[in-house]
């Protein structure tokens, strides 16, 4: 029975992690077309970093919660685009676009969304199992 309660911890931590991932994707996509006048000012894609929480886990446990240990900025260079008439263009006529790959971000969004949905289903199934177990005890 306690293993069923442990599933709530694991699924809850996964829901939280995927929520952070979806927020990062939304931020990346919202800033994908923002231009700036220098590479240093250009928006850089953000990606969450996850880790398993192993403390307090037994030696035979396969279910470990996940946590977000940070959000990293991509180190890829921003894209330089020649636009001499743009008001933000530098002395050479370039503006700088974020290093966001919209196709990758869409794939990340779909993956995070499906993972979130799967964890909601795990929680619902666990809840149903616990309710059925309680009903067995009442009979």
């Amino acid at each position: 029975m306690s293993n069923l309660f442990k599933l709530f911890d694991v699924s809850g931590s996964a829901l939280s992690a995927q929520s952070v991932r979806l927020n990062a994707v939304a931020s990346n996509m919202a800033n994908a077309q923002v231009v700036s006048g220098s590479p240093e000012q250009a928006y850089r894609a953000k990606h969450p970093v996850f880790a398993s929480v192993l403390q307090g886990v037994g030696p035979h446990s396969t279910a470990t919660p996940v946590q977000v240990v940070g959000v990293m900025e991509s180190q890829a260079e921003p894209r330089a685009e020649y636009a001499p008439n743009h008001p933000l263009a530098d002395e050479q006529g370039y503006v700088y676009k974020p290093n966001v790959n919209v196709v990758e971000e869409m794939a990340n969004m779909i993956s995070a969304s499906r993972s979130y949905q799967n964890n909601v289903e795990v929680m619902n199934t666990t809840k149903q199992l616990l309710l059925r177990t309680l009903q067995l005890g009442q009979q």
Side-chain angles (χ1 to χ4, degrees):
M1 184 87 117
S2 68
N3 286 340
L4 288 177
F5 287 115
K6 182 77 173 161
L7 285 175
F8 283 118
D9 292 338
V10 173
S11 291
S13 69
L15 288 174
S16 179
Q18 294 308 323
S19 180
V20 169
R21 186 174 169 202
L22 284 168
N23 284 334
V25 167
S27 177
N28 291 342
M29 290 183 69
N31 288 291
Q33 298 301 317
V34 175
V35 296
S36 61
S38 72
E40 296 80 25
Q41 294 174 338
Y43 178 85
R44 296 192 182 263
K46 294 173 179 28
H47 303 286
V49 178
F50 303 125
S52 293
V53 180
L54 297 176
Q55 60 197 50
V57 176
H60 303 295
S61 179
T62 58
T64 59
V66 66
Q67 71 179 11
V68 178
V69 294
V71 178
M72 304 293 293
E73 282 190 351
S74 172
Q75 297 304 307
E77 290 296 316
R79 296 175 289 139
E81 184 177 289
Y82 187 68
N85 295 327
H86 195 284
L88 293 176
D90 63 9
E91 298 82 34
Q92 291 83 28
Y94 286 95
V95 293
Y96 299 88
K97 291 190 170 186
N99 57 3
V100 175
N101 182 328
V102 177
V103 175
E104 278 182 22
E105 295 301 327
M106 289 294 292
N108 279 334
M109 182 181 66
I110 292 168
S111 174
S113 177
R114 287 187 179 159
S115 180
Y116 192 93
Q117 290 170 344
N118 288 338
N119 281 288
V120 168
E121 284 299 314
V122 167
M123 292 182 90
N124 285 334
T125 301
T126 303
K127 181 180 91 173
Q128 291 301 319
L129 287 171
L130 286 169
L131 288 174
R132 301 272 182 182
T133 303
L134 289 174
Q135 289 172 352
L136 285 174
Q138 291 175 348
Q139 295 175 357

PDB file of all heavy atoms in Angstrom, residues 113-132:
ATOM      1  N   SER A 113       4.253  17.562 -22.997  1.00  0.00           N
ATOM      2  CA  SER A 113       2.803  17.484 -22.845  1.00  0.00           C
ATOM      3  C   SER A 113       2.340  16.039 -22.680  1.00  0.00           C
ATOM      4  O   SER A 113       1.516  15.728 -21.815  1.00  0.00           O
ATOM      5  CB  SER A 113       2.125  18.129 -24.056  1.00  0.00           C
ATOM      6  OG  SER A 113       0.736  18.017 -23.972  1.00  0.00           O
ATOM      7  N   ARG A 114       2.884  15.145 -23.477  1.00  0.00           N
ATOM      8  CA  ARG A 114       2.518  13.723 -23.372  1.00  0.00           C
ATOM      9  C   ARG A 114       3.001  13.126 -22.056  1.00  0.00           C
ATOM     10  O   ARG A 114       2.298  12.335 -21.427  1.00  0.00           O
ATOM     11  CB  ARG A 114       3.059  12.949 -24.558  1.00  0.00           C
ATOM     12  CG  ARG A 114       2.280  13.246 -25.818  1.00  0.00           C
ATOM     13  CD  ARG A 114       2.674  12.384 -26.960  1.00  0.00           C
ATOM     14  NE  ARG A 114       1.862  12.717 -28.121  1.00  0.00           N
ATOM     15  CZ  ARG A 114       2.193  12.454 -29.360  1.00  0.00           C
ATOM     16  NH1 ARG A 114       3.338  11.839 -29.610  1.00  0.00           N
ATOM     17  NH2 ARG A 114       1.410  12.797 -30.354  1.00  0.00           N
ATOM     18  N   SER A 115       4.191  13.502 -21.629  1.00  0.00           N
ATOM     19  CA  SER A 115       4.696  13.020 -20.351  1.00  0.00           C
ATOM     20  C   SER A 115       3.811  13.518 -19.216  1.00  0.00           C
ATOM     21  O   SER A 115       3.501  12.769 -18.280  1.00  0.00           O
ATOM     22  CB  SER A 115       6.141  13.481 -20.151  1.00  0.00           C
ATOM     23  OG  SER A 115       6.634  13.026 -18.924  1.00  0.00           O
ATOM     24  N   TYR A 116       3.388  14.761 -19.289  1.00  0.00           N
ATOM     25  CA  TYR A 116       2.501  15.328 -18.278  1.00  0.00           C
ATOM     26  C   TYR A 116       1.190  14.543 -18.245  1.00  0.00           C
ATOM     27  O   TYR A 116       0.724  14.143 -17.176  1.00  0.00           O
ATOM     28  CB  TYR A 116       2.246  16.804 -18.598  1.00  0.00           C
ATOM     29  CG  TYR A 116       1.575  17.572 -17.493  1.00  0.00           C
ATOM     30  CD1 TYR A 116       2.326  18.263 -16.561  1.00  0.00           C
ATOM     31  CD2 TYR A 116       0.191  17.610 -17.379  1.00  0.00           C
ATOM     32  CE1 TYR A 116       1.728  18.981 -15.532  1.00  0.00           C
ATOM     33  CE2 TYR A 116      -0.428  18.312 -16.358  1.00  0.00           C
ATOM     34  CZ  TYR A 116       0.347  18.993 -15.446  1.00  0.00           C
ATOM     35  OH  TYR A 116      -0.258  19.698 -14.431  1.00  0.00           O
ATOM     36  N   GLN A 117       0.602  14.299 -19.426  1.00  0.00           N
ATOM     37  CA  GLN A 117      -0.645  13.543 -19.505  1.00  0.00           C
ATOM     38  C   GLN A 117      -0.479  12.134 -18.955  1.00  0.00           C
ATOM     39  O   GLN A 117      -1.355  11.629 -18.241  1.00  0.00           O
ATOM     40  CB  GLN A 117      -1.133  13.478 -20.957  1.00  0.00           C
ATOM     41  CG  GLN A 117      -1.617  14.794 -21.499  1.00  0.00           C
ATOM     42  CD  GLN A 117      -1.869  14.752 -23.005  1.00  0.00           C
ATOM     43  OE1 GLN A 117      -1.408  13.851 -23.685  1.00  0.00           O
ATOM     44  NE2 GLN A 117      -2.584  15.740 -23.496  1.00  0.00           N
ATOM     45  N   ASN A 118       0.628  11.479 -19.264  1.00  0.00           N
ATOM     46  CA  ASN A 118       0.873  10.128 -18.767  1.00  0.00           C
ATOM     47  C   ASN A 118       0.962  10.111 -17.243  1.00  0.00           C
ATOM     48  O   ASN A 118       0.447   9.186 -16.602  1.00  0.00           O
ATOM     49  CB  ASN A 118       2.155   9.543 -19.367  1.00  0.00           C
ATOM     50  CG  ASN A 118       1.990   9.197 -20.831  1.00  0.00           C
ATOM     51  OD1 ASN A 118       0.886   9.006 -21.313  1.00  0.00           O
ATOM     52  ND2 ASN A 118       3.100   9.131 -21.537  1.00  0.00           N
ATOM     53  N   ASN A 119       1.591  11.102 -16.660  1.00  0.00           N
ATOM     54  CA  ASN A 119       1.704  11.151 -15.212  1.00  0.00           C
ATOM     55  C   ASN A 119       0.365  11.453 -14.542  1.00  0.00           C
ATOM     56  O   ASN A 119       0.098  10.958 -13.452  1.00  0.00           O
ATOM     57  CB  ASN A 119       2.781  12.141 -14.782  1.00  0.00           C
ATOM     58  CG  ASN A 119       4.156  11.543 -14.920  1.00  0.00           C
ATOM     59  OD1 ASN A 119       4.529  10.668 -14.146  1.00  0.00           O
ATOM     60  ND2 ASN A 119       4.896  11.977 -15.920  1.00  0.00           N
ATOM     61  N   VAL A 120      -0.468  12.231 -15.191  1.00  0.00           N
ATOM     62  CA  VAL A 120      -1.831  12.437 -14.678  1.00  0.00           C
ATOM     63  C   VAL A 120      -2.577  11.108 -14.685  1.00  0.00           C
ATOM     64  O   VAL A 120      -3.274  10.769 -13.715  1.00  0.00           O
ATOM     65  CB  VAL A 120      -2.579  13.511 -15.492  1.00  0.00           C
ATOM     66  CG1 VAL A 120      -4.060  13.523 -15.164  1.00  0.00           C
ATOM     67  CG2 VAL A 120      -1.975  14.887 -15.236  1.00  0.00           C
ATOM     68  N   GLU A 121      -2.413  10.340 -15.740  1.00  0.00           N
ATOM     69  CA  GLU A 121      -3.059   9.022 -15.819  1.00  0.00           C
ATOM     70  C   GLU A 121      -2.544   8.077 -14.738  1.00  0.00           C
ATOM     71  O   GLU A 121      -3.324   7.319 -14.146  1.00  0.00           O
ATOM     72  CB  GLU A 121      -2.860   8.398 -17.198  1.00  0.00           C
ATOM     73  CG  GLU A 121      -3.731   9.000 -18.278  1.00  0.00           C
ATOM     74  CD  GLU A 121      -5.213   8.840 -17.981  1.00  0.00           C
ATOM     75  OE1 GLU A 121      -5.637   7.729 -17.597  1.00  0.00           O
ATOM     76  OE2 GLU A 121      -5.945   9.837 -18.117  1.00  0.00           O
ATOM     77  N   VAL A 122      -1.251   8.112 -14.477  1.00  0.00           N
ATOM     78  CA  VAL A 122      -0.681   7.274 -13.403  1.00  0.00           C
ATOM     79  C   VAL A 122      -1.318   7.650 -12.066  1.00  0.00           C
ATOM     80  O   VAL A 122      -1.710   6.776 -11.285  1.00  0.00           O
ATOM     81  CB  VAL A 122       0.861   7.422 -13.339  1.00  0.00           C
ATOM     82  CG1 VAL A 122       1.416   6.829 -12.053  1.00  0.00           C
ATOM     83  CG2 VAL A 122       1.503   6.762 -14.547  1.00  0.00           C
ATOM     84  N   MET A 123      -1.457   8.947 -11.815  1.00  0.00           N
ATOM     85  CA  MET A 123      -2.067   9.383 -10.556  1.00  0.00           C
ATOM     86  C   MET A 123      -3.528   8.963 -10.466  1.00  0.00           C
ATOM     87  O   MET A 123      -3.990   8.512  -9.403  1.00  0.00           O
ATOM     88  CB  MET A 123      -1.915  10.890 -10.393  1.00  0.00           C
ATOM     89  CG  MET A 123      -0.479  11.325 -10.178  1.00  0.00           C
ATOM     90  SD  MET A 123      -0.296  13.078  -9.941  1.00  0.00           S
ATOM     91  CE  MET A 123      -0.472  13.153  -8.164  1.00  0.00           C
ATOM     92  N   ASN A 124      -4.250   9.093 -11.558  1.00  0.00           N
ATOM     93  CA  ASN A 124      -5.663   8.685 -11.561  1.00  0.00           C
ATOM     94  C   ASN A 124      -5.802   7.180 -11.347  1.00  0.00           C
ATOM     95  O   ASN A 124      -6.663   6.735 -10.590  1.00  0.00           O
ATOM     96  CB  ASN A 124      -6.349   9.103 -12.864  1.00  0.00           C
ATOM     97  CG  ASN A 124      -6.633  10.582 -12.906  1.00  0.00           C
ATOM     98  OD1 ASN A 124      -6.774  11.238 -11.880  1.00  0.00           O
ATOM     99  ND2 ASN A 124      -6.701  11.134 -14.111  1.00  0.00           N
ATOM    100  N   THR A 125      -4.972   6.395 -11.993  1.00  0.00           N
ATOM    101  CA  THR A 125      -5.017   4.935 -11.840  1.00  0.00           C
ATOM    102  C   THR A 125      -4.652   4.544 -10.408  1.00  0.00           C
ATOM    103  O   THR A 125      -5.304   3.680  -9.807  1.00  0.00           O
ATOM    104  CB  THR A 125      -4.071   4.256 -12.837  1.00  0.00           C
ATOM    105  OG1 THR A 125      -4.459   4.627 -14.159  1.00  0.00           O
ATOM    106  CG2 THR A 125      -4.106   2.746 -12.695  1.00  0.00           C
ATOM    107  N   THR A 126      -3.640   5.189  -9.852  1.00  0.00           N
ATOM    108  CA  THR A 126      -3.236   4.913  -8.474  1.00  0.00           C
ATOM    109  C   THR A 126      -4.376   5.249  -7.511  1.00  0.00           C
ATOM    110  O   THR A 126      -4.659   4.493  -6.574  1.00  0.00           O
ATOM    111  CB  THR A 126      -1.972   5.710  -8.111  1.00  0.00           C
ATOM    112  OG1 THR A 126      -0.945   5.383  -9.047  1.00  0.00           O
ATOM    113  CG2 THR A 126      -1.507   5.408  -6.706  1.00  0.00           C
ATOM    114  N   LYS A 127      -5.014   6.374  -7.748  1.00  0.00           N
ATOM    115  CA  LYS A 127      -6.153   6.760  -6.909  1.00  0.00           C
ATOM    116  C   LYS A 127      -7.252   5.711  -6.980  1.00  0.00           C
ATOM    117  O   LYS A 127      -7.811   5.308  -5.944  1.00  0.00           O
ATOM    118  CB  LYS A 127      -6.689   8.127  -7.342  1.00  0.00           C
ATOM    119  CG  LYS A 127      -7.857   8.619  -6.499  1.00  0.00           C
ATOM    120  CD  LYS A 127      -8.331   9.970  -6.969  1.00  0.00           C
ATOM    121  CE  LYS A 127      -9.414   9.739  -7.989  1.00  0.00           C
ATOM    122  NZ  LYS A 127     -10.102  10.936  -8.428  1.00  0.00           N
ATOM    123  N   GLN A 128      -7.556   5.235  -8.171  1.00  0.00           N
ATOM    124  CA  GLN A 128      -8.587   4.210  -8.334  1.00  0.00           C
ATOM    125  C   GLN A 128      -8.194   2.915  -7.608  1.00  0.00           C
ATOM    126  O   GLN A 128      -9.033   2.270  -6.982  1.00  0.00           O
ATOM    127  CB  GLN A 128      -8.846   3.934  -9.818  1.00  0.00           C
ATOM    128  CG  GLN A 128      -9.523   5.073 -10.547  1.00  0.00           C
ATOM    129  CD  GLN A 128     -10.877   5.407  -9.925  1.00  0.00           C
ATOM    130  OE1 GLN A 128     -11.638   4.539  -9.546  1.00  0.00           O
ATOM    131  NE2 GLN A 128     -11.159   6.705  -9.824  1.00  0.00           N
ATOM    132  N   LEU A 129      -6.922   2.530  -7.698  1.00  0.00           N
ATOM    133  CA  LEU A 129      -6.454   1.324  -6.998  1.00  0.00           C
ATOM    134  C   LEU A 129      -6.595   1.480  -5.485  1.00  0.00           C
ATOM    135  O   LEU A 129      -7.017   0.537  -4.796  1.00  0.00           O
ATOM    136  CB  LEU A 129      -5.002   1.026  -7.355  1.00  0.00           C
ATOM    137  CG  LEU A 129      -4.750   0.476  -8.759  1.00  0.00           C
ATOM    138  CD1 LEU A 129      -3.251   0.451  -9.047  1.00  0.00           C
ATOM    139  CD2 LEU A 129      -5.338  -0.909  -8.897  1.00  0.00           C
ATOM    140  N   LEU A 130      -6.247   2.643  -4.971  1.00  0.00           N
ATOM    141  CA  LEU A 130      -6.385   2.878  -3.537  1.00  0.00           C
ATOM    142  C   LEU A 130      -7.849   2.851  -3.111  1.00  0.00           C
ATOM    143  O   LEU A 130      -8.190   2.283  -2.063  1.00  0.00           O
ATOM    144  CB  LEU A 130      -5.736   4.202  -3.147  1.00  0.00           C
ATOM    145  CG  LEU A 130      -4.214   4.215  -3.135  1.00  0.00           C
ATOM    146  CD1 LEU A 130      -3.681   5.630  -3.001  1.00  0.00           C
ATOM    147  CD2 LEU A 130      -3.699   3.349  -1.999  1.00  0.00           C
ATOM    148  N   LEU A 131      -8.725   3.442  -3.896  1.00  0.00           N
ATOM    149  CA  LEU A 131     -10.155   3.426  -3.577  1.00  0.00           C
ATOM    150  C   LEU A 131     -10.710   2.009  -3.600  1.00  0.00           C
ATOM    151  O   LEU A 131     -11.487   1.616  -2.722  1.00  0.00           O
ATOM    152  CB  LEU A 131     -10.926   4.321  -4.551  1.00  0.00           C
ATOM    153  CG  LEU A 131     -10.723   5.832  -4.368  1.00  0.00           C
ATOM    154  CD1 LEU A 131     -11.416   6.606  -5.488  1.00  0.00           C
ATOM    155  CD2 LEU A 131     -11.235   6.281  -3.007  1.00  0.00           C
ATOM    156  N   ARG A 132     -10.294   1.215  -4.576  1.00  0.00           N
ATOM    157  CA  ARG A 132     -10.750  -0.187  -4.646  1.00  0.00           C
ATOM    158  C   ARG A 132     -10.240  -0.983  -3.449  1.00  0.00           C
ATOM    159  O   ARG A 132     -10.949  -1.822  -2.908  1.00  0.00           O
ATOM    160  CB  ARG A 132     -10.277  -0.847  -5.934  1.00  0.00           C
ATOM    161  CG  ARG A 132     -10.746  -0.187  -7.190  1.00  0.00           C
ATOM    162  CD  ARG A 132     -12.057  -0.709  -7.620  1.00  0.00           C
ATOM    163  NE  ARG A 132     -12.379  -0.017  -8.878  1.00  0.00           N
ATOM    164  CZ  ARG A 132     -13.478  -0.200  -9.505  1.00  0.00           C
ATOM    165  NH1 ARG A 132     -14.355  -1.051  -9.072  1.00  0.00           N
ATOM    166  NH2 ARG A 132     -13.721   0.478 -10.605  1.00  0.00           N
TER     167      ARG A 132
END
